[in-house]
Amino acid sequence: MTAGSAPETAGTWTEAERVAALRRYGVLDTPREAAFDDIAEMAAKACGTPIALIDFIDADRHWFKAEVGLGLRTVPLASDPCWRALAGTDLLEVPDLLEMSDLPGFAARPPAAVPQARFYAGVPLLTPEGLPVGVLCVMDRVPGRLAEPQGFILRALARAVMDRLEQGRAIAERDAALARQRRAESRSRLMLDSAVDYGIISFDLAGAVTSWNEGAHRILGWSEAEMIGRHADRIFTPEDVAVGLPAAEMEEALATGRGRDERWHVRKSGDRFWADGEVMALRDDGGAVTGFVKIMRDRTEQHVALRALRDNQERIETALDTGLLGFFDWDVALQLIRGDRSFAAFHGLDPERLADGGVPLDEVAAVIHQDDRAAVAASVGSAMAASGSYSKQFRTLKPDGTLRHLMVRGHCYERDGDRALRYTGVAVDVTASKAAEEVSRQNQARYRSLFSSIDAGFCIIAMKFDGEGRAVDYRFVEVNPAFERQTGIVDALGRWMRDLVPDHDQHWFDLYGRVALTGAPLRTEQEAEALGRWYDVHAYRVDEPDRHHVAVLFNDITERRRTETALQELNATLEQRVAEEVEERARAEEAFRQSQKMEAVGQLTGGVAHDFNNLLTVLKSSTDLLRRPGLSDERRGRYLDAISETVDRAAKLTGQLLAFARRQALKPEVFDAVDRLRTVADMLDTVLGARIRVSLDLLEIPCHVRADASQFETALVNMAVNARDAMGGEGTLTLRILGDADLPPIRGHAGAAGPFAAVSLTDTGDGIPAEHLARIFEPFFTTKEVGKGTGLGLSQVFGFAKQSGGDVDVESEVGRGTSFTLYLPQVAGEPTQRSEGDTAGGAVAGGGGRRVLVVEDNVEIGRFATQILEDLGYRAEWASNAADALARLAEGAGDFDVVFSDVIMPGGMNGVDLAHAIGRLYPSLPVVLTSGYSHVLAEEGPQGFELVQKPYSAEQLSRVLRQTMLLQRRRRG
């Protein structure tokens, strides 16, 4: 249109409609934007003018979204060329503003913003509905005209302005829809979270789980039994544990009251899932923190869907920011469509062909899904009939099979009367958002199904407060089907609680009111007296805070509370009953143990009495026969030999008893067990007989132990004799030794770390029945025929092993044989060197007049010992106790060459104490001790003094005395 044309209104719009359309875009009084500034700059440069404006015309002003060469943002509304351009539908060009008097209704005057302007060209900014909201114009201070290409560019830039506005409005509408969707999802999520599908886990300050509900079992896979006592880090991903996120949650809960937890977690199966929850501190009555509780929900599906929606949103925003929307221009007369690369990609078209000459409309329509073509054609046809705009969402199916969802908006910008000639518009790919909408729709359906099917009661209430801010009532906004069953309240929806239950407890209103005002969630167990029930309640604030809506999930726990009360009453008396029962059982057990002790003592006493009576019978008979006159020397000698042998058997019997009781006086020394075992093996050939083969499996190197060598050999012989009897005198006995062994657990006793020497004897006999294995080490227990064993051999082995710091084990299988293993402490070092006198033998040497002080409290033994010594050529003097002995030595210690003292004596000082006292007072005077049994010797040994075991012979006594005096002289000399 030129300056000579008459102004006209192209449409039926009113000024109010136009202004309302402008304000719907929300563009007025917004900051400058680079995109609009670029369009204004492009218009000025393309048209060769110093001034360019994007002018949005409000009811009373011009407001410039972008300007070049002006420096203003707004001027008052006036009847100027911009207003005249607003009334048209196409380019208004005025070569010289001073000659525009031929335009009806306008004076020959420049625009108010540029009073010195002469040239003006402007294109109205039209909405898709054809409503003008402003003008894109250029001006110059000298008259001029636009070339045809310049006019085309100005029109195209005007369309770009409107496309940008449309994009902004689309984004705003999308954001509003997303916000509504998020609110709906938030409420739906709460319904799901408040149902049974949530896990509640408590753990102590160290992180150990203390409770684990069924919801946690279903979500995580571990049962309560599997998790109690285990660390809560188990449900977190390794990478979160490595950076300390679980501890950070607890610290946040301590600092702020709750710690948010929205991250990936790990199930028992190893799968990961997205959980949404929070951690809160647990406090005791004094306010001290005792642990934490974690409430979590499985939000994997929602997280994935929301992430997809956000990704789609980011793609849309990126497309908007970078201009990657699809733009098109439709020539109705030629039925050709031109477009950019994005539009070509949406439809699977050749971008070069689409941009250059255009593509026939039929090719574009062919890509539209066949189920949507009719609706699209109807929408476009309706818009063309009115020369108006159209907006339609439809699907496309590209040749490669890709299905897309597009939103297309187009408006007519060129007409011939009522006939539309040209359309321009924009296409937006909304495939991702459609997918997200479908996921959201499915989630909504799922949430609603859960809401209707859960067993727990659920409701949403709207709180009512009085003028002082106190909660006084609430109205039921939503209730689920289980609500009536859990409360007994019928037709609650839409009604007030005070109307339904007038005397309902006030504390319920206070609790829910606090949740509505603060937003702090509530978990509690409370009684509703008016309803006659107890409830486990979980309450959250929902919707906007000013609506005061609270969601409540609850379960009737009345029966559980009654059961707990009954249990508490039962527990009040349970402790006393248990104590009485324990005391009664202890008395019974003590009586049983005492009975066992008496039985064992009786068995032991009977066995000792039986064997000693046998020995005494021999002694008594022999002494009676010796008194008979006229006995031949041969018979007298035979009776004397019987007495001597009987004494030896009695001494052996007492030694075995002491060995079992671990009360014998041992003489521990270091010796090579391998060498000693080889020596005993040589001796066993004679003991066992020719039909038993002795096999050796010995170490090639020495294995030193510290024990009584004599008792060690005796123990080996006892085990070998036992094996001989078990084999019936025929078979194989294998002797084996291992070094550096550990002591295994034996008969319920704990084992010990080595090194131990393990000496084993294995036979090929009949084996020991299982019922006898536990008793074989008891004294006098034997399975042999009467008269073929005392039952003390293995008890000696047991006592010797225990007293030496080791043990003895047995393994046996009936029909396969038995293996005894003796464990003794293994030591490093050289064997103990024996003195020359230790092995000295031969005839008894006389005393040579040497002087002996005998200390013995038993009169008969004291006189007998004195007599023996005198018969051997010693000069002996007898003291009846330690005090008398010390008194006699004080008179003249030089009167004696050696002291011979019993160990057990009355008066408070025993023989060992006396020996130590003599050692301190008279260091050069040697002491020899004698004893049949002494707990001091059994526990501590002879403590460096020579010891003669009772019963002793004259030869033994004389030899030990001479050896002791000889050793003392060597030390002095």
Side-chain angles (χ1 to χ4, degrees), residues 569-820:
E569 294 174 354
L570 177 62
N571 286 338
T573 60
L574 182 60
E575 183 176 352
Q576 179 180 354
R577 293 199 313 234
V578 170
E580 293 173 353
E581 180 68 21
V582 170
E583 183 178 356
E584 178 62 27
R585 180 174 297 179
R587 285 197 296 268
E589 290 177 351
E590 179 61 27
F592 179 68
R593 284 194 297 269
Q594 188 63 28
S595 174
Q596 287 181 315
K597 290 179 182 178
M598 295 305 296
E599 181 180 353
V601 169
Q603 180 181 1
L604 178 63
T605 304
V608 172
H610 174 270
D611 282 11
F612 267 99
N613 281 333
N614 290 339
L615 299 174
L616 292 174
T617 298
V618 174
L619 294 175
K620 177 65 174 173
S621 299
S622 297
T623 55
D624 287 346
L625 291 171
L626 287 173
R627 290 193 179 96
R628 296 178 67 180
L631 285 177
S632 65
D633 291 341
E634 183 270 332
R635 293 182 67 185
R636 186 181 300 276
R638 187 164 67 248
Y639 295 149
L640 290 173
D641 290 342
I643 293 173
S644 178
E645 291 173 359
T646 301
V647 171
D648 290 341
R649 286 200 298 273
K652 182 179 179 182
L653 177 62
T654 57
Q656 289 174 324
L657 287 172
L658 291 174
F660 170 75
R662 286 170 272 172
R663 289 296 185 266
Q664 61 182 334
L666 299 180
K667 295 182 180 180
E669 59 181 289
V670 176
F671 60 87
D672 180 5
V674 176
D675 181 64
R676 195 58 59 96
L677 193 61
R678 188 179 290 109
T679 301
V680 171
D682 294 338
M683 179 181 65
L684 290 179
D685 289 335
T686 302
V687 175
L688 302 180
R691 291 188 301 164
I692 293 181
R693 187 174 68 89
V694 178
S695 173
L696 294 179
D697 182 6
L698 305 181
L699 296 173
E700 298 296 330
I701 59 175
C703 179
H704 294 118
V705 298
R706 188 175 189 277
D708 188 311
S710 175
Q711 291 294 326
F712 174 70
E713 294 178 353
T714 301
L716 294 179
V717 170
N718 284 335
M719 289 189 287
V721 170
N722 188 77
R724 179 200 64 189
D725 296 342
M727 292 186 289
E730 183 175 0
T732 300
L733 178 65
T734 302
L735 279 66
R736 181 179 294 108
I737 182 170
L738 295 175
D740 298 318
D742 291 332
L743 178 64
I746 299 174
R747 293 181 294 278
H749 298 285
F756 284 86
V759 181
S760 62
L761 283 78
T762 303
D763 64 53
T764 57
D766 296 333
I768 303 173
E771 62 270 19
H772 292 162
L773 275 177
R775 302 188 60 195
I776 60 174
F777 295 113
E778 293 180 6
F780 303 108
F781 177 80
T782 180
T783 58
K784 301 174 185 178
E785 298 178 7
V786 176
K788 292 190 176 182
T790 64
L792 288 173
L794 292 182
S795 65
Q796 180 272 336
V797 177
F798 174 81
F800 163 67
K802 284 293 190 179
Q803 195 172 356
S804 300
D807 208 337
V808 59
D809 196 11
V810 59
E811 296 179 357
S812 183
E813 183 177 348
V814 174
R816 300 288 299 268
T818 303
S819 178
F820 286 90

Side-chain angles (χ1 to χ4, degrees), residues 116-139:
Q116 69 273 32
R118 295 288 298 276
F119 169 72
Y120 177 89
V123 179
L125 302 176
L126 300 175
T127 69
E129 296 78 21
L131 296 172
V133 295
V135 177
L136 171 64
C137 63
V138 296
M139 289 178 276

